[in-house]
Amino acid sequence: GAVVSQHPSRVICKSGTSVKIECRSLDFQATTMFWYRQFPKQSLMLMATSNEGSKATYEQGVEKDKFLINHASLTLSTLTVTSAHPEDSSFYICSARGSIRGGNTIYFGEGSWLTVV
Amino acid sequence: LAKTTQPISMDSYEGQEVNITCSHNNIATNDYITWYQQFPSQGPRFIIQGYKTKVTNEVASLFIPADRKSSTLSLPRVSLSDTAVYYCLVGSQTGANNLFFGTGTRLTVIP
């Protein structure tokens, strides 16, 4: 079963509005979670690293004021796309580092499709 | 940052063994090698992880030569449902440098 869960799996929003995507680690605590975006037929691009209790670390070229990340607990990180525009439409994926099977492995959520109309 | 290089695509017939090789020439001493499978519109799914020699689980085997500059994911007797993109990532178990994806290998299994 899934060890990292995202919600919603699909969301449609109007241009100019904001939308929040949740990422939860199941059965383990994740001090660090990661957010990616993926365009069709392309690889995953790391957007930011979410640290519990502190500010997220954003990759170069990612607007921190547009993609707000909050990691308020050890099992939940949220990504809020503010003032969304059609070019923000994409597949957003989160991941978390955990030790479900021993070792320290990164597990990914199911992904969230965002469509901005 | 350990960069990975994989073939862009591969085709295989059903029932055959598929080997996908990943090059990671600048792998660090404490780096592990992890392979993921991704289906369209889904998040990557963990397949296997290793540090050296050979690792086997219920779905795949991972072969890592002594110099660790490459690794090979082996999928035994593939089926149509194995058609997916396969990514190898290299990095330490606690560091941040295994978070960057390469192009991946798009495997197409043919009936």
Side-chain angles (χ1 to χ4, degrees):
Chain A
V3 296
V4 176
S5 178
Q6 280 183 243
H7 177 81
S9 58
R10 288 183 178 273
V11 57
I12 300 173
C13 72
K14 290 185 176 180
S15 187
T17 63
S18 297
V19 62
K20 180 186 289 186
I21 301 171
E22 294 185 347
C23 178
R24 295 182 184 274
S25 59
L26 309 177
D27 301 325
F28 70 97
Q29 295 181 331
T31 55
T32 304
M33 291 184 174
F34 311 97
W35 287 95
Y36 295 80
R37 68 186 299 181
Q38 185 177 33
F39 293 108
K41 296 191 181 299
Q42 293 187 23
S43 186
L44 285 76
M45 183 190 77
L46 179 65
M47 297 175 66
T49 300
S50 170
N51 303 298
E52 188 268 336
S54 64
K55 292 182 178 180
T57 304
Y58 290 83
E59 295 301 309
Q60 190 173 10
V62 179
E63 299 175 58
K64 62 180 181 180
D65 294 329
K66 180 168 186 62
F67 298 100
L68 300 179
I69 292 173
N70 183 275
H71 194 154
S73 77
L74 288 172
T75 59
L76 173 64
S77 175
T78 60
L79 169 69
T80 301
V81 183
T82 63
S83 186
H85 289 96
E87 57 265 31
D88 298 323
S89 298
S90 186
F91 191 49
Y92 291 87
I93 308 169
C94 73
S95 67
R97 195 186 302 276
S99 56
I100 298 294
R101 299 185 181 87
N104 218 356
T105 303
I106 293 179
Y107 297 94
F108 290 82
E110 309 96 326
S112 300
W113 271 111
L114 169 63
T115 302
V116 184
V117 298
Chain B
L1 184 65
K3 181 180 177 181
T4 60
T5 303
Q6 302 174 234
I8 296 294
S9 64
M10 294 180 68
D11 293 339
S12 175
Y13 287 103
E14 251 188 316
Q16 291 191 329
E17 177 184 81
V18 171
N19 297 308
I20 305 175
T21 297
C22 179
S23 295
H24 27 80
N25 291 318
N26 57 341
I27 188 171
T29 302
N30 58 346
D31 283 347
Y32 280 73
I33 301 157
T34 312
W35 284 80
Y36 292 88
Q37 174 193 56
Q38 187 183 29
F39 297 112
S41 297
Q42 295 186 25
R45 182 177 73 98
F46 172 87
I47 300 175
I48 197 166
Q49 183 180 72
Y51 183 80
K52 61 180 180 180
T53 62
K54 177 183 175 181
V55 179
T56 298
N57 62 21
E58 62 274 13
V59 298
S61 295
L62 178 59
F63 298 93
I64 305 168
D67 65 5
R68 305 204 319 125
K69 294 183 182 299
S70 66
S71 60
T72 299
L73 174 72
S74 181
L75 304 173
R77 298 180 298 281
V78 294
S79 63
L80 297 178
S81 61
D82 292 319
T83 294
V85 179
Y86 293 81
Y87 295 96
C88 80
L89 274 71
V90 175
S92 70
Q93 289 194 325
T94 56
N97 62 346
N98 57 342
L99 308 176
F100 296 91
F101 283 74
T103 58
T105 298
R106 185 174 299 275
L107 172 66
T108 302
V109 180
I110 306 165

